[in-house]
Amino acid sequence: MQPILEVEGLSKHFQLHEQNKLIPSCANVHTQVHAGQLTALIGPTGAGKSSVLKCVYRTYLPSGGRMLYRDAAGNTTDLAQAAEHRMLELRQRDIGFVTQFLHCLPRRSALDVVCEPLVAQGVGRAAARARASELLGLLNVPERLWGVPPATFSGGEKQRVNLARGLIARPRLLLLDEPTASLDPATTERVIDLIETIKAEGVAMLAIFHDPALVRRTANRVVELTPPVAVSDILETCTS
Ligand SMILES: Nc1ncnc2c1ncn2[C@@H]1O[C@H](COP(=O)(O)OP(=O)(O)O)[C@@H](O)[C@H]1O
Ligand SMILES: [Mg+2]
């Protein structure tokens, strides 16, 4: 079976012009993600795990390498080269991202924040709200909060809203950045169950977990990243 996503030699660095410095964030990353499977990215803090997800979602424009995404029609798009309008289309229909933090829209209820990806796909608001209520209930968000904007929620409550929003639309490829980092053990179990459910539905996932036990439980494939070495460090080593 062909992978949904194939990452080949992906690198990203940031240029700090004022300091004339290159900051590498990930280097020469290779990985594959298949339908109905979860690929986990592991490695120490600063190894570039979040940067890989941000490159795939094109929050970051990669500096090098290819990220071949195969859509439902079998067409391949190199996400490293894709035009912005193609990325917008893919983000709406195909690729979802549960980031570490909820960047929530002020003055909209938690329920509407969760609904939004489904509504954007053309699902009616009543049906979307029903599905959102189900997910918020499953993730233990107290019902009294559903009508309230998540801006004032605790970290754990925001993370649950974030997860519900990421899981509601069943993208073909789902990117997860430490989705359970601020959750209690009982809710973490619910999230693992949900991950297994959407895996069984064929969703491909590229995920980062803070807890190695979760990697062991959910991952079909594990890719270890090592922190990239800055060019200035290499020069220093050569001259010392
Ligand atoms: N927007 C950015 N600007 C400058 N440096 C960045 C940026 N994003 C990430 N980096 C750097 O890239 C490296 C990898 O970061 P990150 O991808 O967040 O690692 P991880 O998720 O594995 O902890 C870090 O040294 C970080 O400081
Ligand atoms: Mg990270």
Side-chain angles (χ1 to χ4, degrees):
M1 200 174 59
Q2 291 192 311
I4 280 193
L5 179 72
E6 208 163 350
V7 174
E8 295 173 347
L10 174 67
S11 302
K12 172 67 185 169
H13 55 249
F14 294 91
Q15 179 118 38
L16 299 185
H17 292 286
E18 320 81 71
Q19 298 173 41
N20 198 20
K21 260 189 174 170
L22 276 188
I23 312 276
S25 73
C26 63
N28 203 24
V29 176
H30 293 267
T31 187
Q32 293 188 342
V33 194
H34 286 83
Q37 294 194 1
L38 187 146
T39 297
L41 296 176
I42 62 167
T45 301
K49 303 181 297 295
S50 296
S51 297
V52 171
L53 298 191
K54 287 175 185 166
C55 284
V56 172
Y57 202 63
R58 270 282 295 277
T59 312
Y60 291 168
L61 188 63
S63 312
R66 303 202 298 171
M67 304 181 291
L68 302 178
Y69 174 75
R70 208 162 270 116
D71 67 20
N75 300 315
T76 300
T77 304
D78 182 0
L79 304 177
Q81 305 283 341
E84 203 51 40
H85 69 86
R86 174 68 175 145
M87 287 312 303
L88 287 174
E89 193 179 84
L90 288 174
R91 286 189 205 117
Q92 192 168 47
R93 297 236 151 244
D94 286 47
I95 306 178
F97 194 177
V98 179
T99 56
Q100 254 166 315
F101 308 103
L102 177 70
H103 306 285
C104 58
L105 318 155
R107 296 215 291 268
R108 301 193 50 203
S109 71
L111 204 58
D112 282 340
V113 168
V114 174
C115 278
E116 201 200 64
L118 269 191
V119 173
Q121 287 188 357
V123 176
R125 195 161 284 275
R129 282 206 168 135
R131 180 75 192 117
S133 310
E134 203 180 305
L135 271 171
L136 287 172
L138 203 67
L139 293 171
N140 293 324
V141 178
E143 202 167 337
R144 64 182 162 78
L145 295 179
W146 297 1
V148 180
T152 56
F153 288 11
S154 73
E157 286 161 354
K158 277 186 188 158
Q159 184 65 45
R160 287 161 217 238
V161 171
N162 206 20
L163 260 166
R165 182 184 159 93
L167 299 177
I168 199 167
R170 301 295 196 263
R172 294 185 72 240
L173 173 65
L174 182 60
L175 311 169
L176 299 162
D177 195 344
E178 306 200 13
T180 57
S182 45
L183 301 183
D184 56 80
T187 312
T188 298
E189 284 305 312
R190 299 258 173 120
V191 173
I192 300 300
D193 286 349
L194 268 170
I195 285 177
E196 291 302 336
T197 304
I198 63 174
K199 234 199 230 184
E201 290 175 8
V203 175
M205 282 173 268
L206 183 58
I208 303 164
F209 294 105
H210 65 294
D211 180 358
L214 297 182
V215 173
R216 282 194 293 276
R217 286 178 61 187
T218 60
N220 302 89
R221 185 186 293 262
V222 178
V223 177
E224 183 165 11
L225 306 191
T226 45
V229 183
V231 174
S232 54
D233 294 346
I234 298 173
L235 291 177
E236 243 163 61
T237 317
C238 293
T239 51
S240 61

